[in-house]
Amino acid sequence: MKPCSMHTSLAESERRPAQLLIRDLVAGYRGIPIVNGVTLSVGEREVVSVLGPNGAGKSTLLKALVGLLPVMAGSIELDGVQITNMSPEDLVRMGTGYVPQVRDVFEPLTVRENLDIGGYLLDSRQIKDRAAEVLALFPSLQRAADRRAGTLSGGERKMLAIARVLMLRPKLLILDEPTAGLAPEVSKRFLHEHVRRLISQGVSTLLVEQRVSASLEISDWAYVLVTGEVRREGRPADLLQDREFAQVFLGRRAELPAIRRESNDM
């Protein structure tokens, strides 16, 4: 597969003010860079996707962002405040929420107990009230509140993983492969009904997702990562009109999917 070679920025001036700003980020393992000079942003109440082939460095980027890997060079800002190399707990207090691809819920515990753990910085009364608010966003979880997480369907489990992180009202939600293991139709519905809808709660989202077409349908902006570098960026409509992008990442000459989403002004 020939990687995209041109880094394009389309309609950048039309984006919302940056809530998350990553500049020239270098990160990797044992001193070896995997992500090399990545610059990207997430605007207020935007859904931004990071796309790319396996091994492109997408998960490495997220781990550096949430304090699980050291940043070797570059900087990360949240609402204008430097958060580079902050600890995961401090980043939570700053307003970031992270849902990993695996080990995203506590299987032996009930849905309600998972939410209680997610609200660990709140007092008992606040946890109860916030859990009620979060469950109202996910009716199927509300009906399953006393079930153990290990008995949930794949889609319900992903809902719970997000719901648990929402307990602390993050400003920025970071999702690593949230549809991994889900059937294509379930994945598409999950992204539309749960991830995209979070903007109505004032939550910006940075999404790493292998299902390129489905993720573009819900995104305001997208970055294409290849061998640890950003090779493309732009609005989904513009990327899908790029013949090379469509052939490399979708395997065909793509047409713009029908995008029906909530307005960012909600």
Side-chain angles (χ1 to χ4, degrees):
M1 180 177 68
K2 180 182 177 182
C4 300
S5 57
M6 184 183 301
H7 181 182
T8 58
S9 180
L10 304 173
E12 180 78 41
S13 62
E14 299 177 13
R15 296 184 65 194
R16 288 175 173 268
Q19 187 163 45
L20 173 72
L21 181 57
I22 299 173
R23 290 193 182 99
D24 302 319
L25 186 78
V26 179
Y29 302 86
R30 300 182 182 90
I32 300 174
I34 302 298
V35 171
N36 196 2
V38 166
T39 294
L40 62 80
S41 65
V42 179
E44 297 172 358
R45 297 171 72 180
E46 281 187 340
V47 175
V48 173
S49 287
V50 178
L51 311 171
N54 290 333
K58 303 185 297 296
S59 291
T60 300
L61 171 66
L62 295 194
K63 288 177 181 177
L65 174 56
V66 300
L68 298 177
L69 278 178
V71 172
M72 299 160 63
S75 64
I76 306 170
E77 294 180 11
L78 183 66
D79 288 333
V81 177
Q82 277 282 344
I83 61 170
T84 312
N85 283 326
M86 277 191 178
S87 70
E89 184 169 347
D90 285 342
L91 290 170
V92 169
R93 294 178 185 276
M94 290 290 295
T96 65
Y98 173 55
V99 179
Q101 181 179 348
V102 296
R103 298 178 183 174
D104 50 359
V105 298
F106 298 98
E107 293 185 353
L109 304 183
T110 66
V111 167
R112 200 178 302 277
E113 288 167 341
N114 269 270
L115 296 183
D116 290 348
I117 291 175
Y120 71 100
L121 293 178
L122 308 176
D123 63 37
S124 57
R125 178 57 185 270
Q126 290 174 318
I127 287 175
K128 182 178 179 181
D129 291 346
R130 181 57 181 160
E133 294 172 353
V134 169
L135 286 173
L137 299 174
F138 302 94
S140 63
L141 289 184
Q142 197 167 35
R143 294 189 292 269
D146 296 319
R147 285 176 53 191
R148 295 187 185 279
T151 69
L152 300 177
S153 69
E156 289 170 336
R157 179 180 175 129
K158 292 298 181 181
M159 290 181 213
L160 176 57
I162 292 176
R164 184 167 58 85
V165 171
L166 291 180
M167 285 291 292
L168 294 179
R169 302 181 188 275
K171 296 180 285 188
L172 174 70
L173 184 63
I174 300 163
L175 302 177
D176 190 359
E177 303 281 4
T179 70
L182 302 183
E185 281 306 310
V186 175
S187 299
K188 187 173 182 177
R189 188 166 65 249
F190 178 85
L191 291 172
H192 279 272
E193 294 180 3
H194 300 297
V195 175
R196 181 67 203 180
R197 191 160 53 90
L198 290 173
I199 62 168
S200 67
Q201 305 297 312
V203 181
S204 307
T205 302
L206 180 63
L207 168 69
V208 162
E209 180 55 61
Q210 284 285 1
R211 299 182 188 276
V212 174
S213 182
S215 63
L216 288 176
E217 288 183 22
I218 68 162
S219 296
D220 298 291
W221 199 262
Y223 294 87
V224 180
L225 205 62
V226 179
T227 59
E229 300 178 354
V230 174
R231 298 293 181 87
R232 286 282 199 283
E233 68 169 287
R235 290 191 293 187
D238 297 320
L239 290 175
L240 286 167
Q241 295 303 317
D242 183 315
R243 182 185 299 274
E244 185 179 10
F245 174 87
Q247 290 177 343
V248 170
F249 292 99
L250 300 178
R252 57 182 171 80
R253 176 61 177 166
E255 295 181 358
L256 178 64
I259 300 176
R260 299 185 64 183
R261 62 173 73 149
E262 298 177 59
S263 166
N264 275 359
D265 298 324
M266 288 184 63

